């Protein structure tokens, strides 16, 4: 979820440019204010993978990794 919030920054910046005025600072407030507050408030997943699950994930040679 936290990485998906990064994609909202261009949207907020576009809305700020579109509406102009004080709203033009909305992108800055959103990127440096709201997103860090959400990361603090949202729970953190502290679950670790088991050894066999790590090995199976490393053995999975999916094509998606070749495009990154």
């Amino acid at each position: 979820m936290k990485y998906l919030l990064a994609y909202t920054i261009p949207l907020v910046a576009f809305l700020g440019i579109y509406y102009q005025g004080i709203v033009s600072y909305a992108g800055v407030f959103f990127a440096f204010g709201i997103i860090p507050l959400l990361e603090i408030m949202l729970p953190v997943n502290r679950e670790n993978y088991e050894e066999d699950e790590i090995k199976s994930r490393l053995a999975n040679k999916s094509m998606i990794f070749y495009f990154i």
Side-chain angles (χ1 to χ4, degrees):
M1 164 111 179
K2 68 180 182 178
Y3 297 113
L4 292 177
L5 288 175
Y7 292 115
T8 60
I9 295 173
L11 175 66
V12 173
F14 172 76
L15 291 174
I17 293 170
Y18 181 75
Y19 288 111
Q20 299 178 346
I22 194 70
V23 183
S24 63
Y25 293 105
V28 175
F29 293 134
F30 185 73
F32 295 105
I34 295 173
I35 290 178
L37 286 175
L38 285 174
E39 287 182 354
I40 290 171
M41 291 188 304
L42 292 175
V44 176
N45 184 6
R46 300 197 184 272
E47 182 178 314
N48 293 331
Y49 293 123
E50 300 293 329
E51 284 296 322
D52 56 339
E53 192 172 2
I54 292 172
K55 290 178 184 176
S56 69
R57 287 180 178 264
L58 289 174
N60 184 10
K61 300 293 184 190
S62 177
M63 288 299 293
I64 190 75
F65 295 118
Y66 294 115
F67 296 115
I68 296 179

